[in-house]
Amino acid sequence: MRRALRSFSSWVLALTASAVIVAGLAVVHGQREYTQSLQERDRLVRVRSLATDITHLTLAARLGIEPSYDRLTHATLELGDLLGESDAGWLGAMPSPRRSALMELAKSRIEVVERFKRELAVVRNSQRYLTEALAGARLEARGGAGSAELASVHADVLENLVNFDVRRRDLILDRVRELRAHFDPSGRPLSASYLTHVAFVLEHGALVGELVDEICDPALALAIDSLRTAHEQRREAIVATLGRWQIGLVLVSTLLIATLVHASLALRRSAVEMTRINHGLEETVRRRSAELAQAQKLKSIGVLASGIAHEINTPSQYVGDNLAFLRSAVDDLGRILKSYDALRLAAEKGPIPSELLSEIRATEKELDLEYLVDGMPHACASAIEGMARISKIVRAMKEFSHPGSEDKKPTDIHRAIESTITVAQNEWKYVADLVTEFDEDLGMVPCLAAELNQVVLNIIVNAAQALAEMKAGQDENPKGRIVVRTVAEEGWALISISDDGPGIPAEVQSRVFDPFFTTKAVGAGTGQGLAIAHAVVVDKHGGTLEMESEAGHGTTFRIRLPNPGTRAAGPVPAVAGVSDGANAGHDR
Amino acid sequence: MTRLLFASIACAVLVFQAIADSAAGASSDSFVSACAEPDRSLAVRAIPGRHKFDPGLVALGRKLFHDPRLSRDGTIACASCHVLAQGGDDGRPTSIGVGGASGSVNAPSVLNRAFDFRYFWNGRAATLEDQVSGPLEHPKEMASNWEHVESLLARDSDYVARFESLGIPRSPESVRTAIATFERSLITPDAPFDRYLCGDEKALPHEARAGWERFRSLGCVSCHQGVNLGGNMYERFGVFVDPSANHSSEPGMLGRFDVTGRPEDRFVFKVPSLRNVELTAPYFHDGSAATLEEAVHTMGLYQLGRDLAEDDVALLVSFLRSLTGRLPE
């Protein structure tokens, strides 16, 4: 039930989170669209005002108010920039037929403006020329040369050309024809350039008018306006969508926050729970490891027990045999003593009957008195010796399994090792010779004797097992060798235990102190032995435990215990011959 | 008549209002104008006195502009045909490019080009940036390409450092920007005529002032107008005369027609700026006029439909000489 609830709430969390992301992205996208559309609007507004400017500036140029084309030119350039040359990519969001129609319009509008500029310039110049001629004609008219009427017709024509209006074109043409008719016969002809300029104004002046009309045509402005309306609608749609997404975002964010708060509360609760469980687990682990250590100890004692039984068995057997001998000897001696007693009584009464004597002789012979007398002290000695051996083992056992104390006590390390060796005798006796080389300078070392014994035992048993394995692989083999050595170092007591067994493969060396690590078959070892050794030496004694091994050359364990007795505990002395694997097994 | 006048006045009021509202001419941000109050009734305007472009970018553009290694064979720089100290052109009727190849049109000046509305005689380039590829890739000019230029820039440690310090990539884009910016910085202020426009009556000699009067009354100013006295419109060359008698009508020599293909665009060219015109002989798109006098006389015949008197030509020429400003160093 609770599990289902939890997975449900994590689903809710994931859902709301993705909803927030979706809404957030949509809002960001909408905002980008919105800003972009604002920029587009600004540009459209600018385009619109450029279209107006162009119309106004064209009119201004036409009327001669703005004699320079600079501003008109800049306006068309900017319009061209915005709409003409490029594909007006900024209008990308708008429907493409509308867009291209607008661009087409703008482009042709710009061309018309250019045409207008150049036509106006030349028309204006011809009008200038004619203005001069007009002034001359007026002068002439006033001066009275030729008919005044003719002069006034002349002036009228010119006036009309200077202030050219297309609508009067036909009228002007008539007048020009009239003028020509007058002038031709009477002599002074109109100059060629005069007629050229008249014709020019008539033709190009009309063109200018048409161009201005085209420029003032509202088509461009209307196209822009309609695009603006479409654009406005689009922006409104964008704003509406954006608004909806924003509301959605607020909603899902609130939901997300709520879910998060809920989840964090739940998390806190479960964190408290976890700590509690954790404490419980830690407690269990502690208890378990203590149990394990105890179990290991029990196990080793169990293993040892059979060996020890065997050890005790042999001496107790011949103690028994000798006692049995002594007992029958004592019986026999009793019989002989009885016959001696009868002999003494007979002797007190008188002469000893010879049959009594021969009877005694027969008994002596029968019981082999000589043998008895000779054998008994020997049997006694044997029995005593057997008892001594038994009691040694028992003492060693007692010493070995002396219940550990909580505090370190000054301990005779050598005795402790001896008893451990003795206890383990049955383990190594058949596979190895065990040699001890004790440094007599090593006094009493403060330690937890029972636990240290356990460590030494573990290591010796390991060595013996390794040697046994090696022997099992070979047909005949001399015994291996285990050397237990102590050295009094400055501030430290060193116990080194070497064997010349098969060694530990390099790839597992680094793991030998790990708990539960074992190379033995499953069930054969707990994998705790060396881990416990490490815990005892390093953790409980503040010492060091090193292992040095090379496959094929044996293994050496070095236990160093702080030994303030000798001197203050100095730095751990350098390990001699770490890389010199050949030395392992013959530590010196 | 009165109705027309009335309408005109009404229109004028309206238009003035609109103009007052509308923004001032473009590109004014990058320049500092020379005189405080320009006279709006004139078709011409004094040139700005200073520019405000990034000096680093201008310096890079200057280096590129003068670097012959940009061309295919390493012999021709932009500056080979646009000699800044000689008015920004090469003084030949037509230019000589890579391997002695000679082109078909006259090289215009690169000075004061910031104020032109389009580039090349036929206006085919919209901006100075667009224009750069033209000479660079033209087989008769520099006959180069952008790969060549980019590899040059990558090899030259000075270029590498300059681009780096400007924080721009060594791309064709940046090269175009740098060269165009440099060209925009090439302005020639302080011509006597500009000082005159700014109110210094004595700046213009008597003859030049008379020439200026002629320039206006004859109508030169209808075409040669604006800040650059040209460069803001197209115009037919030979309004009153058919030019094909004396000028080539080969493709490539027909001005706007080569761009648009419209019959009315034959011999229509960008009206050239007359600033520093005394330094940029020979004249016209084909370099056909060797002297200013010749050019002015031709203008009268072709553009105004007048056979200008020698006096007028002389006055006009002395006015044109007053258009020479302070050349960039």
Side-chain angles (χ1 to χ4, degrees):
Chain A
M1 179 62 207
R2 203 145 129 213
R3 185 101 149 259
L5 214 78
R6 200 168 309 151
S7 79
F8 172 75
S9 72
S10 66
W11 266 106
V12 169
L13 198 64
L15 267 175
T16 36
S18 18
V20 166
I21 289 170
V22 168
L25 286 178
V27 165
V28 168
H29 174 76
Q31 259 156 0
R32 198 175 306 141
E33 250 191 346
Y34 180 67
T35 13
Q36 195 186 327
S37 124
L38 280 185
Q39 285 168 0
E40 283 169 21
R41 184 201 53 190
D42 290 350
R43 282 186 172 163
L44 272 175
V45 168
R46 180 71 190 142
V47 165
R48 181 66 176 81
S49 91
L50 282 173
T52 318
D53 284 356
I54 287 171
T55 318
H56 287 162
L57 289 164
T58 300
L59 288 173
R62 169 78 189 279
L63 295 169
I65 299 166
E66 175 92 354
S68 159
Y69 290 152
D70 272 1
R71 294 211 288 172
L72 178 57
T73 309
H74 286 309
T76 51
L77 281 184
E78 198 182 337
L79 186 68
D81 250 12
L82 287 171
L83 282 181
E85 319 271 327
S86 63
D87 59 349
W90 59 274
L91 271 175
M94 298 317 294
S96 99
R98 256 211 183 118
R99 197 173 82 208
S100 48
L102 179 61
M103 281 165 58
E104 224 24 73
L105 263 174
K107 210 164 153 190
S108 73
R109 178 65 47 97
I110 292 166
E111 274 165 19
V112 173
V113 169
E114 289 308 329
R115 186 86 200 274
F116 161 78
K117 276 156 69 180
R118 83 194 206 214
E119 295 299 341
L120 179 69
V122 285
V123 167
R124 169 131 319 138
N125 281 347
S126 287
Q127 287 172 330
R128 267 203 193 96
Y129 177 95
L130 294 172
T131 313
E132 280 171 33
L134 175 63
R138 288 219 176 95
L139 235 107
E140 236 167 71
R142 221 175 293 143
S147 88
E149 192 207 347
L150 198 66
S152 88
V153 174
H154 188 135
D156 188 29
V157 169
L158 291 176
E159 187 124 17
N160 270 304
L161 283 171
V162 170
N163 297 305
F164 181 77
D165 184 344
V166 192
R167 284 163 298 186
R168 299 217 231 167
R169 197 179 146 150
D170 292 340
L171 184 129
I172 301 166
L173 272 175
D174 280 351
R175 294 299 217 134
V176 171
R177 234 170 271 130
E178 199 180 327
L179 261 184
R180 249 196 206 158
H182 273 292
F183 273 84
D184 264 349
S186 71
R188 218 176 59 94
L190 291 168
S191 76
S193 58
Y194 180 94
L195 288 173
T196 314
H197 284 289
V198 168
F200 197 86
V201 173
L202 282 175
E203 187 187 334
H204 290 259
L207 184 55
V208 168
E210 284 164 25
L211 293 170
V212 170
D213 285 350
E214 249 181 87
I215 294 170
C216 294
D217 184 68
L220 179 63
L222 287 178
I224 298 170
D225 282 345
S226 93
L227 203 65
R228 269 178 73 183
T229 319
H231 194 265
E232 207 70 32
Q233 282 162 1
R234 209 180 87 85
R235 201 171 64 253
E236 269 162 27
I238 291 173
V239 171
T241 324
L242 180 61
R244 278 198 290 278
W245 277 115
Q246 275 168 337
I247 292 172
L249 180 61
V250 169
L251 286 179
V252 287
S253 309
T254 321
L255 194 62
L256 179 64
I257 289 168
T259 333
L260 276 176
V261 167
H262 176 82
S264 70
L265 287 179
L267 254 176
R268 248 185 86 147
R269 271 201 306 278
S270 65
V272 171
E273 176 105 335
M274 290 282 268
T275 349
R276 209 173 49 71
I277 291 174
N278 213 18
H279 282 318
L281 277 177
E282 271 169 16
E283 183 52 37
T284 314
V285 166
R286 219 175 9 250
R287 222 170 40 233
R288 280 284 155 75
S289 21
E291 280 167 10
L292 252 172
Q294 190 57 33
Q296 213 266 345
K297 195 167 171 182
L298 288 177
K299 184 164 188 235
S300 62
I301 288 175
V303 168
L304 290 177
S306 68
I308 289 166
H310 185 76
E311 283 302 311
I312 292 176
N313 204 28
T314 318
S316 62
Q317 223 152 51
Y318 65 79
V319 167
D321 290 351
N322 281 304
L323 284 177
F325 167 76
L326 282 173
R327 189 194 154 126
S328 74
V330 168
D331 281 355
D332 291 351
L333 279 182
R335 263 174 71 192
I336 290 175
L337 279 180
K338 263 188 202 137
S339 42
Y340 284 165
D341 204 31
L343 186 66
R344 187 179 50 90
L345 284 173
E348 275 171 2
K349 275 181 223 157
I352 302 163
S354 66
E355 64 272 67
L356 192 59
L357 271 180
S358 62
E359 192 184 328
I360 286 175
R361 234 173 259 128
T363 309
E364 280 180 351
K365 201 163 185 180
E366 182 200 340
L367 297 176
D368 197 352
L369 182 65
E370 212 173 321
Y371 166 74
L372 283 180
V373 172
D374 279 356
M376 273 172 59
H378 195 73
C380 281
S382 277
I384 289 170
E385 196 228 69
M387 283 312 293
R389 271 177 69 186
I390 290 169
S391 66
K392 181 186 171 194
I393 290 170
V394 171
R395 202 177 53 242
M397 258 183 86
K398 211 175 127 196
E399 258 170 32
F400 176 80
S401 56
H402 184 341
S405 60
E406 289 290 298
D407 302 321
K408 293 183 200 116
K409 295 233 174 70
T411 308
D412 182 347
I413 294 272
H414 292 156
R415 248 182 89 172
I417 294 174
E418 290 278 19
S419 58
T420 304
I421 290 172
T422 306
V423 166
Q425 205 162 6
N426 196 53
E427 303 299 314
W428 52 263
K429 205 165 63 178
Y430 304 104
V431 292
D433 295 325
L434 198 148
V435 184
T436 56
E437 292 172 9
F438 290 154
D439 183 344
E440 293 311 326
D441 292 346
L442 193 67
M444 303 289 268
V445 178
C447 66
L448 303 167
E451 307 199 19
L452 187 66
N453 286 344
Q454 185 72 35
V455 171
V456 173
L457 175 74
N458 281 343
I459 295 173
I460 289 175
V461 169
N462 273 351
Q465 282 172 349
L467 286 168
E469 241 165 69
M470 191 167 80
K471 264 188 72 160
Q474 287 150 326
D475 293 337
E476 63 185 282
N477 208 333
K479 281 184 180 178
R481 191 177 148 93
I482 299 175
V483 181
V484 181
R485 179 179 303 127
T486 59
V487 180
E489 289 174 339
E490 232 182 79
W492 298 92
L494 168 66
I495 306 165
S496 85
I497 301 164
S498 315
D499 67 63
D500 56 356
I504 298 169
E507 59 273 17
V508 301
Q509 283 189 12
S510 63
R511 293 170 55 206
V512 295
F513 296 121
D514 293 352
F516 304 108
F517 176 80
T518 175
T519 57
K520 295 170 195 159
V522 177
T526 56
Q528 288 292 305
L530 287 176
I532 288 172
H534 192 267
V536 167
V537 174
V538 177
D539 301 342
K540 294 199 175 158
H541 286 86
T544 65
L545 177 58
E546 291 158 11
M547 196 245 352
E548 185 181 310
S549 180
E550 196 185 336
H553 290 280
T555 307
T556 299
F557 283 89
R558 290 197 193 81
I559 302 164
R560 276 194 180 82
L561 302 176
N563 187 15
T566 42
R567 241 160 284 172
V572 178
V575 183
V578 173
S579 55
D580 190 1
N583 266 353
H586 328 265
D587 201 359
R588 201 154 297 276
Chain B
M1 184 75 235
T2 34
R3 225 184 59 215
L4 197 80
L5 211 89
F6 191 74
S8 304
I9 290 170
C11 225
V13 171
L14 242 167
V15 166
F16 252 133
Q17 207 127 34
I19 289 169
D21 293 346
S22 80
S27 77
S28 52
D29 303 349
S30 313
F31 297 96
V32 183
S33 75
C35 32
E37 261 310 302
D39 184 349
R40 282 257 166 115
S41 69
L42 295 180
V44 295
R45 190 80 52 82
I47 199 168
R50 278 190 297 119
H51 69 81
K52 297 191 277 193
F53 295 109
D54 175 357
L57 194 59
V58 169
L60 172 61
R62 179 191 304 278
K63 180 168 163 134
L64 287 163
F65 191 87
H66 288 88
D67 194 341
R69 291 174 300 167
L70 259 54
S71 68
R72 191 192 59 207
D73 60 359
T75 57
I76 303 281
C78 305
S80 310
C81 297
H82 301 286
V83 188
L84 300 185
Q86 294 171 22
D89 73 346
D90 57 2
R92 299 172 205 274
T94 59
S95 305
I96 295 178
V98 159
S102 97
S104 46
V105 292
N106 180 250
S109 170
V110 287
L111 303 179
N112 302 316
R113 282 296 80 88
F115 312 111
D116 273 16
F117 82 134
R118 311 233 8 148
Y119 299 95
F120 291 130
W121 283 108
N122 56 21
R124 64 183 180 278
T127 61
L128 283 170
E129 282 83 352
D130 290 353
Q131 187 275 337
V132 174
S133 297
L136 194 83
E137 290 172 348
H138 196 296
K140 288 184 173 178
E141 295 184 1
M142 297 167 85
S144 181
N145 58 46
W146 286 112
E147 276 151 43
H148 174 82
V149 172
E150 280 185 291
S151 83
L152 164 72
L153 298 184
R155 270 183 280 123
D156 184 310
S157 59
D158 183 50
Y159 277 130
V160 172
R162 281 174 193 252
F163 277 90
E164 210 142 88
S165 76
L166 285 167
I168 52 176
R170 289 192 305 273
S171 62
E173 200 52 50
S174 309
V175 171
R176 280 194 274 262
T177 310
I179 291 183
T181 307
F182 168 63
E183 287 174 321
R184 286 197 186 95
S185 78
L186 298 173
I187 52 177
T188 62
D190 284 341
F193 181 61
D194 288 319
R195 279 183 272 137
Y196 169 77
L197 284 180
C198 288
D200 182 357
E201 300 274 334
K202 286 191 294 275
L204 213 54
H206 182 73
E207 287 208 330
R209 204 175 319 167
W212 166 228
E213 289 303 325
R214 291 287 188 292
F215 194 80
R216 283 199 290 170
S217 63
L218 289 169
C220 309
V221 81
S222 302
C223 300
H224 299 280
Q225 52 137 300
V227 175
N228 256 354
L229 291 95
N232 71 356
M233 65 185 284
Y234 299 116
E235 190 53 84
R236 182 164 32 256
F237 179 55
V239 178
F240 294 96
V241 174
D242 179 9
S244 53
N246 297 317
H247 302 272
S248 158
S249 38
E250 297 280 307
M253 301 297 283
L254 290 174
R256 283 301 285 163
F257 179 79
D258 292 320
V259 180
T260 67
R262 293 209 194 99
E264 70 261 27
D265 285 341
R266 277 171 70 91
F267 285 103
V268 170
F269 297 96
K270 178 174 80 172
V271 174
S273 161
L274 295 182
R275 290 196 170 274
N276 310 304
V277 71
E278 67 166 327
L279 304 176
T280 61
Y283 301 102
F284 300 144
H285 68 279
D286 52 2
S288 57
T291 63
L292 262 185
E293 284 76 8
E294 199 184 331
V296 171
H297 190 80
T298 308
M299 277 286 121
L301 280 177
Y302 278 44
Q303 309 299 83
L304 297 170
R306 302 180 194 229
D307 192 358
L308 294 178
E310 236 163 76
D311 299 355
D312 286 338
V313 172
L315 291 178
L316 284 166
V317 167
S318 68
F319 164 64
L320 294 182
R321 291 194 204 286
S322 80
L323 296 175
T324 305
R326 182 156 41 80
L327 295 187
E329 359 27 88

